[in-house]
Amino acid sequence: MIMTSLPKSLFSKPSLRIAVGAVALALLSGCASKSEPAYTPKELRSFAETSSLNGVWSRNVGDGFGRARYPIAPAREGDTIFAADANGLVAAFNADNGNRKWEIELDTPISSALNAIAGQVYLGTRNGEVISLDQRDGSVNWRSRVSSEVLAAPQANQQLLLVQSVDGQITALDRVSGEERWVYASSQPSLTLRGTGTPMVIDPVSFVGFANGRLATLDNRNGQPLWELQIATPRGRSDVDRLVDLAGQPVVTPDGRLFVTSYNGNVVALEATRGGVLWESNLSSRHTPILVGNILLVVTDDSHVVGLNADSGQEVWRNDDLEDRWLTAPAFADGRVVVGDFEGYVHLLDAREGTLVGRTRVHKSGISVRPATEGSTIHVQANNGRLETLEVTP
């Protein structure tokens, strides 16, 4: 989500930071300049492919995500896919044929994933700006300032846009004007993963995870916490050992369950209204999970793909064929789990059984952001900016 000195791609230093030894970091990470994992990734082996990934169209989007591998994941709404690069280029394409609808150059470098919703595209920048673009032509609706760099995609309900910045602050902006409505601040540990949690925003409340291992439910009227819970507890002597970031986005269900992942902690199922723990599973993950039917799909930090029973937390299946290949967060396309890896491969797994069913390579620069999917269509953006659209068959 990597270098033997403090790597930009994995760690962040919000204020006071201490030096961490190269040996300790090497145990956890690898060499970011070459985008290689610390551990030896499993070699890809042949398997019985029952699904095909057919290329539909591809386009180059600027210069990609930069050396720091900013998590600028693309977003789709309706028949349009939106993508950007780290230098400030944003483009819109027809999702079916790749025709470029528009392209703009912002005057500031982009750092966050995109969020396309209700005719707008929201994004964050390295200098702490949040920008709203019109989906029709890319014109700027408004620009607003928050406390620090934004890596997580801004999240919206009907009235508000919630932005989580790298210093742990949550800022609620008016969706129409960009004006600040309220701010919630959390304490940050001395060392955090490079990245922040992404709020899960519904109309009355927002569920927000922090680098200190705590989850808060905020009242969207005023930003006041309704309840807070320690999901992961720091343990160990070194700051690396004590990393417990809630770096993924919580998943909430219509029946009031909340699923949360944590680094160096557990996957936890909660009762969303009060925070009561339903079950815990001992899996470390900095990625957002997905819920497919009654199976919660989790990519762990050693790149195992695991299916958990959403009612009990019991493991239904586990696939370790892609171990240590630095998989992206999972996506879902037509009965398959979709993940990308550090060598630029896209892998398909059967969501019910966990077996590998398909594979193709997009680009050797690697894939570090979650694919965007719609039905059987997959949009994958490689680290060099190449945006590839694939169709799953049968």
Side-chain angles (χ1 to χ4, degrees), residues 2-7 10-11 20-32 36-40 191 238 240-241 243 263 324 326:
I2 300 193
M3 286 169 45
T4 53
S5 58
L6 283 176
L10 184 59
F11 297 110
V20 180
V23 173
L25 286 181
L27 292 175
L28 180 65
S29 58
C31 180
E36 293 175 353
Y39 308 111
T40 302
L191 187 68
S238 74
V240 172
D241 291 335
L243 289 168
Y263 185 81
D324 294 330
W326 287 82

Side-chain angles (χ1 to χ4, degrees), residues 85-371:
D85 79 349
N87 295 326
L89 182 144
V90 186
F93 303 91
N94 182 295
D96 295 327
N97 57 31
N99 287 343
R100 195 179 301 259
K101 295 186 174 184
W102 52 259
E103 180 178 293
I104 63 165
E105 288 272 5
L106 298 173
D107 58 359
T108 183
I110 296 169
S111 54
S112 84
L114 309 184
N115 188 9
I117 182 171
Q120 313 301 317
V121 179
Y122 301 107
L123 56 88
T125 74
R126 283 182 240 172
N127 64 2
E129 266 195 304
V130 180
I131 302 175
S132 170
L133 304 176
D134 192 307
Q135 287 190 14
R136 293 171 297 183
D137 56 11
S139 58
V140 175
N141 297 311
W142 52 259
R143 303 172 77 139
S144 186
R145 183 78 62 177
V146 295
S147 58
S148 63
E149 181 182 41
V150 180
L151 297 177
Q155 299 296 306
N157 66 8
Q158 293 187 49
Q159 292 83 32
L160 299 176
L161 187 74
L162 260 69
V163 183
Q164 187 160 1
S165 44
V166 297
D167 60 0
Q169 181 169 298
I170 304 295
T171 305
L173 305 173
D174 185 282
R175 274 187 61 184
V176 175
S177 66
E179 294 180 4
E180 183 181 298
R181 294 306 183 200
W182 51 259
V183 170
Y184 176 87
S186 69
S187 63
Q188 288 282 89
S190 58
L191 187 68
T192 69
L193 293 178
R194 174 63 169 171
T196 61
T198 301
M200 170 53 69
V201 182
I202 58 178
D203 278 341
V205 299
S206 295
F207 304 100
V208 187
F210 297 101
N212 59 13
R214 293 189 69 79
L215 179 77
T217 298
L218 306 181
D219 187 330
N220 284 339
R221 294 172 297 183
N222 51 26
Q224 294 300 306
L226 300 175
W227 58 260
E228 297 181 78
L229 184 67
Q230 190 74 37
I231 297 294
T233 302
R235 293 182 176 88
R237 294 185 177 182
S238 74
D239 285 309
V240 172
D241 291 335
R242 294 173 64 81
L243 289 168
V244 290
D245 298 50
L246 306 188
Q249 183 179 37
V251 172
V252 65
T253 66
D255 63 1
R257 290 177 294 168
L258 189 69
F259 301 101
V260 184
T261 58
S262 59
Y263 185 81
N264 274 341
N266 297 321
V267 178
V268 181
L270 303 169
E271 193 274 316
T273 56
R274 292 184 176 87
V277 176
L278 301 175
W279 55 257
E280 299 181 54
S281 180
N282 185 22
L283 296 172
S284 172
S285 176
R286 65 185 183 277
H287 290 311
T288 301
I290 54 175
L291 185 64
V292 177
N294 201 42
I295 298 180
L296 186 72
L297 299 162
V298 179
V299 171
T300 69
D301 288 314
D302 54 3
S303 290
H304 291 192
V305 186
V306 182
L308 300 175
N309 183 298
D311 292 332
S312 65
Q314 293 297 310
E315 196 169 298
V316 178
W317 56 259
R318 177 187 292 253
N319 189 305
D320 63 0
D321 293 339
L322 307 173
E323 185 175 273
D324 294 330
R325 296 191 64 84
W326 287 82
L327 299 182
T328 66
F332 180 75
D334 196 23
R336 287 83 160 182
V337 185
V338 186
V339 290
D341 76 11
F342 80 108
E343 287 188 318
Y345 288 94
V346 175
H347 307 273
L348 298 181
L349 296 86
D350 185 287
R352 294 169 298 180
E353 301 177 357
T355 54
L356 281 168
V357 295
R359 175 187 298 145
T360 194
R361 195 175 197 182
V362 171
H363 194 271
K364 64 181 181 181
S365 62
I367 300 167
S368 58
V369 298
R370 184 182 194 166

Side-chain angles (χ1 to χ4, degrees), residues 56-57 75-82 92-101 374 377-379 387-391:
V56 179
W57 56 264
R76 175 172 172 166
E77 185 173 46
D79 64 354
T80 306
I81 180 79
F82 304 91
F93 303 91
N94 182 295
D96 295 327
N97 57 31
N99 287 343
R100 195 179 301 259
K101 295 186 174 184
E374 181 71 28
T377 302
I378 303 169
H379 305 283
L387 179 65
E388 184 92 16
T389 294
L390 305 167
E391 189 72 20

